[in-house]
Amino acid sequence: MLLNVTPDHLDWHGTHAEYARAKGRIFENQSEGDTAVIDVDDPGSEPFADEVKARGVRVVRVSRFERHAGGATLVDGVLALETPGGLVRLVQEDELRIRGAHNTSNALAAAAAAFALGVSARDLQEGCARSNR
């Protein structure tokens, strides 16, 4: 999972390019049959989506603004997954306990990763509903 590439560890990596390269290494051992979850709203992480996909890795694109086949997104204020069976609505964004655009993106990415690992859409819906009580 790659959510962002921001210049917050330049003291360690030296340059933004080195930091981006280091973050991109999380995908280097992935191959066909694996899944990468990438927030494509972030300009630093977005380029990795096509690079990783070109190697045959399934890429789940996370975006608060744009729907992607097989992705995770906001649809009319609802966190949702684009699944082979259709759109699965999970929870209203304003019902999330943690507020803020980055937390919405994080929740979308977490749901996408859980779904990729086999958690059912129904269980995700129930889990989201329970976490907001």
Side-chain angles (χ1 to χ4, degrees), residues 78-98:
V78 178
L79 281 75
L81 299 175
E82 298 276 355
T83 73
L87 186 70
V88 175
R89 296 172 188 270
L90 300 174
V91 65
Q92 287 283 138
E93 180 183 28
D94 62 8
E95 292 178 11
L96 291 174
R97 283 184 167 174
I98 51 175

Side-chain angles (χ1 to χ4, degrees), residues 7-124:
D8 53 354
H9 295 291
L10 296 185
D11 57 328
W12 178 262
H13 295 282
T15 68
H16 186 74
E18 280 299 309
Y19 178 54
R21 187 184 66 71
K23 279 198 112 169
R25 290 188 63 211
I26 65 171
F27 304 117
E28 71 182 17
N29 292 318
Q30 286 191 305
S31 59
E32 289 186 35
D34 292 328
T35 301
V37 176
I38 301 175
D39 187 332
V40 296
D41 289 342
D42 180 79
S45 60
E46 188 272 334
F48 289 99
D50 288 336
E51 290 176 25
V52 173
K53 185 176 181 172
R55 294 197 339 259
V57 174
R58 177 176 173 258
V59 173
V60 177
R61 287 172 166 80
V62 174
S63 175
R64 290 178 289 116
F65 308 110
E66 189 175 346
R67 290 173 71 167
H68 296 274
T73 192
L74 277 177
V75 177
D76 300 324
V78 178
L79 281 75
L81 299 175
E82 298 276 355
T83 73
L87 186 70
V88 175
R89 296 172 188 270
L90 300 174
V91 65
Q92 287 283 138
E93 180 183 28
D94 62 8
E95 292 178 11
L96 291 174
R97 283 184 167 174
I98 51 175
R99 303 288 181 190
H102 70 287
N103 287 320
T104 296
S105 295
N106 291 346
L108 285 166
F115 189 73
L117 290 170
V119 175
S120 73
R122 182 178 180 91
D123 285 345
L124 284 170

